[in-house]
């Protein structure tokens, strides 16, 4: 009998846009029956004083990701808010903490995927994914993109790309993920769960 793949959804979500997408990604993963997902968050590096000035809400009530989170799971989906078209410092600090895993090749061959949140339509959905790939390459992770099979058309402005699901938060953060964006996140979760389970069990085990 095929075993369920364990997938970690690792996010940084200052204003909860990424966390909202993460819940849809998790729903897609869990719905396959091939995998089970847990949402984690990256440790905050900003001081409480700065967070107060930024009017940031309390962090999502989920476990904090550590390097051990990567060794104890079969695959990872990273939820990343864009900063100037790149990763935020918090994600960079997390990847910088994985040096021992890099040195030992502990993550070699594990799959990973990405979804993002940007302030504007052209604020970095693709460049954020591109900026993450060097970390994947050095750690030996296998990048699994969303691909071109998003369930949504182009009849309205939405976040996301073939690189991964996404949302557009708006310059003031007031826009929340739309139904179509959440549907795409769910589709990405289903796709990633299927790929990961095949890597864990072998494709024949899922037939």
């Amino acid at each position: 009998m095929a075993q369920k793949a364990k997938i970690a959804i690792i996010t940084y979500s200052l204003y909860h846009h990424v966390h909202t997408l993460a819940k849809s990604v998790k729903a897609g993963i869990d719905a396959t029956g091939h995998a089970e997902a847990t949402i984690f968050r990256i440790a905050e590096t900003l001081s409480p004083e700065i967070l107060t000035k930024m009017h940031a809400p309390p962090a999502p009530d989920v476990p904090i990701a550590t390097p051990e989170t990567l060794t104890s799971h079969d695959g990872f989906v990273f939820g990343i808010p864009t900063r100037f078209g790149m990763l935020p410092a918090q994600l960079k600090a997390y990847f910088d903490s994985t040096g021992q895993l890099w040195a030992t090749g502990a993550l070699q061959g594990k799959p990973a995927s990405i979804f993002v949140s940007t302030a504007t339509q052209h604020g970095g959905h693709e460049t954020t994914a591109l900026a993450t790939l060097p970390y994947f390459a050095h750690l030996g992770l296998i990048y699994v993109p969303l691909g071109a099979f998003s369930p949504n058309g182009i009849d309205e402005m939405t976040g996301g790309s073939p690189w991964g699901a996404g949302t557009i938060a708006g310059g003031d953060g007031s826009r929340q993920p739309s139904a179509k964006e959440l549907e795409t996140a769910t589709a990405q979760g289903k796709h990633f769960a299927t790929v990961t389970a095949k890597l864990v069990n072998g494709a024949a085990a899922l037939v």
Side-chain angles (χ1 to χ4, degrees), residues 64-103:
I64 293 178
T66 66
E68 288 69 34
T69 303
L70 301 176
T71 58
S72 61
H73 287 78
D74 301 307
F76 326 105
V77 187
F78 291 93
I80 306 172
T82 296
R83 298 292 186 269
F84 299 104
M86 299 183 65
L87 288 74
Q90 290 81 1
L91 260 296
K92 292 179 181 178
Y94 180 72
F95 281 121
D96 285 347
S97 73
T98 63
Q100 186 63 31
L101 302 181
W102 163 79

Side-chain angles (χ1 to χ4, degrees), residues 62-151:
V62 296
I64 293 178
T66 66
E68 288 69 34
T69 303
L70 301 176
T71 58
S72 61
H73 287 78
D74 301 307
F76 326 105
V77 187
F78 291 93
I80 306 172
T82 296
R83 298 292 186 269
F84 299 104
M86 299 183 65
L87 288 74
Q90 290 81 1
L91 260 296
K92 292 179 181 178
Y94 180 72
F95 281 121
D96 285 347
S97 73
T98 63
Q100 186 63 31
L101 302 181
W102 163 79
T104 59
L107 305 181
Q108 198 79 21
K110 291 190 176 186
S113 197
I114 302 162
F115 62 96
V116 303
S117 174
T118 67
T120 63
Q121 185 179 12
H122 303 293
H125 281 80
E126 295 178 346
T127 59
T128 302
L130 279 168
T132 310
L133 294 188
Y135 294 103
F136 289 5
H138 284 273
L139 291 169
L141 299 176
I142 301 171
Y143 172 49
V144 181
L146 170 63
F149 65 86
S150 168

Side-chain angles (χ1 to χ4, degrees), residues 177-192:
S178 69
K180 285 192 173 183
E181 290 169 340
L182 295 176
E183 185 181 356
T184 299
T186 301
Q188 182 172 356
K190 290 179 179 179
H191 173 55
F192 185 76

